[in-house]
Amino acid sequence: MRIGLIGTGRIGAFHAGVLARHPQVEHLVVADADAARAAEVAALTGANAVDTVADAFAGVDAVVIASATAAHAEHIATAARAGLPAFCEKPVSLDVPGTLRALRAVEAAGTELQLGFMRRFDAGYVRARELVRSGRLGRLHTVRAVTSDPAPPPAAYLPLSGGLYRDCLVHDFDIVRWVTGREVTEVYATGSDAGPAMFRAAGDIDTAAVVLTLDDATLATATATRCNGAGYDVRLELAGESDQFAVGLDDRTPLTSTEPQGPGRPDKPWTGFLERFAPAYEAELDAFVRLVRGEAANPCDGRDALHALRIAEACEISRRERRPVRVAEVPTG
């Protein structure tokens, strides 16, 4: 199989290494708006660097899109017009209209689009989904999601990110849907920009909290921050009438108990998403290869990305207008 990889930044370079090692990928073509960066990644992985991004769509069986967020929708549409299945890092687009245009291009072409919500491939989240669906928790009444980055991203990234809800919490919105099998009907969101001044300059927030109501009346909370100095902390707690489980709770969770007999500070707390979710990133690309080969169904299509984005959009409205917002208020066309 020949795969074209578009974008060789941090996550693109990681994907290049995974694809280069995959037994079903015989040839990997890499491209980037920065041709020198693409050449460096090619040299490290044994891939073939091409001169332009357009060249990465030629002579391949599928494409993996890890380009700048603003280019995702265009690259998805280009792949669709070329009849190529595509894997794309989230988001499809930073707004609903752009997302819908890209999805319509895929639907018109009859091609496949898999989105990069890697938590669906993490062993802990997979097990949590099984437990919920098996009834082990009884009636699920409370879900608590946590995403905390150890340090803020570069200031230049913030105006391009879409904000904390779209860029960060969108993973929590997707995984709450996936694990519980329920839809979010209403949100109440707030946020704080009391941290580094660059967040206020970008019109963004560094910390957020959201209350989500699911369609079966289960309540969920989702919190996120860019300023968690203890380390990278991503967890999901599921509480039911019969039992309670947690994802992301291990000897590297950057959480210290104040109880005399409780666990102390971990020796090696998680430092970032690539370290914490490396196996999940590999698994999602393997799933994409199997999708292209016709061996498996699409595990996370563009409509899943649209659902998560609409929740994020509802959160933006809620924070701005200081009120509960029903997801149905977010237009879909």
Side-chain angles (χ1 to χ4, degrees):
M1 180 185 299
R2 292 170 55 91
I3 290 185
L5 171 67
I6 302 159
T8 53
R10 180 169 54 166
I11 189 62
F14 183 90
H15 287 335
V18 172
L19 292 167
R21 296 190 301 269
H22 197 286
Q24 299 297 334
V25 179
E26 299 165 353
H27 190 67
L28 178 64
V29 175
V30 299
D32 195 285
D34 182 342
R37 186 166 65 183
E40 290 175 5
V41 170
L44 290 171
T45 60
N48 177 40
V50 290
D51 294 332
T52 69
V53 168
D55 293 333
F57 291 93
V60 297
D61 302 304
V63 294
V64 171
I65 300 167
S67 51
T69 297
H72 284 183
E74 175 190 350
H75 291 155
I76 289 169
T78 299
R81 289 192 294 269
L84 296 172
F87 172 95
C88 184
E89 282 298 327
K90 64 84 188 167
V92 172
S93 173
L94 289 177
D95 58 36
V96 171
T99 299
L100 288 171
R101 286 193 295 271
L103 297 188
R104 286 170 186 146
V106 171
E107 292 168 1
T111 54
E112 292 281 3
L113 171 63
Q114 180 182 329
L115 262 292
F117 284 107
M118 78 291 185
R119 294 186 194 180
R120 295 183 177 212
F121 299 87
D122 176 77
Y125 285 104
V126 171
R127 179 61 176 150
R129 188 175 194 260
E130 293 170 352
L131 289 167
V132 170
R133 305 303 175 89
S134 71
R136 279 278 300 278
L137 283 81
R139 182 183 68 86
L140 183 67
H141 52 73
T142 308
V143 180
R144 308 177 192 95
V146 175
T147 294
S148 299
D149 287 333
Y157 173 76
L158 293 178
L160 309 175
S161 70
L164 193 59
Y165 300 115
R166 299 186 190 94
D167 181 51
C168 188
L169 275 165
V170 72
H171 280 290
D172 297 278
F173 302 151
D174 175 71
I175 208 64
V176 165
R177 293 183 61 245
W178 188 74
V179 167
T180 66
R182 314 304 307 193
E183 295 296 342
V184 176
T185 59
E186 186 177 85
V187 308
Y188 190 89
T190 188
S192 169
D193 62 1
M198 65 181 183
F199 288 96
R200 292 185 291 280
D204 198 2
I205 53 177
D206 60 77
T207 303
V210 183
V211 177
L212 309 163
T213 302
L214 309 189
D215 59 12
D216 64 347
T218 298
L219 297 180
T221 61
T223 63
T225 184
R226 304 281 200 185
C227 306
N228 195 56
Y232 182 72
D233 187 11
V234 171
R235 283 175 284 124
L236 184 73
E237 299 174 3
L238 301 154
E241 291 182 339
S242 300
D243 213 334
Q244 184 169 229
F245 295 93
V247 180
L249 186 60
D250 58 24
D251 60 3
R252 299 191 66 182
T253 304
L255 188 66
T256 303
S257 174
T258 61
E259 298 297 332
Q261 303 303 317
R265 179 178 174 81
D267 293 332
K268 292 180 61 180
W270 295 110
T271 60
F273 65 91
L274 280 178
E275 182 186 35
R276 166 67 176 84
F277 287 109
Y281 280 115
E282 294 200 25
E284 70 176 359
L285 286 179
D286 180 66
F288 178 61
V289 169
R290 289 187 286 114
L291 171 65
V292 175
R293 288 170 57 84
E295 298 171 353
N298 193 333
C300 186
D301 66 20
R303 291 288 161 181
D304 288 311
L306 177 62
H307 286 306
L309 177 62
R310 291 183 70 222
I311 298 168
E313 293 282 349
C315 289
E316 289 286 3
I317 297 170
S318 178
R319 180 175 72 94
R320 184 172 63 246
E321 299 183 3
R322 297 174 178 264
R323 66 177 179 89
V325 174
R326 294 190 65 78
V327 176
E329 293 182 45
V330 179
T332 57

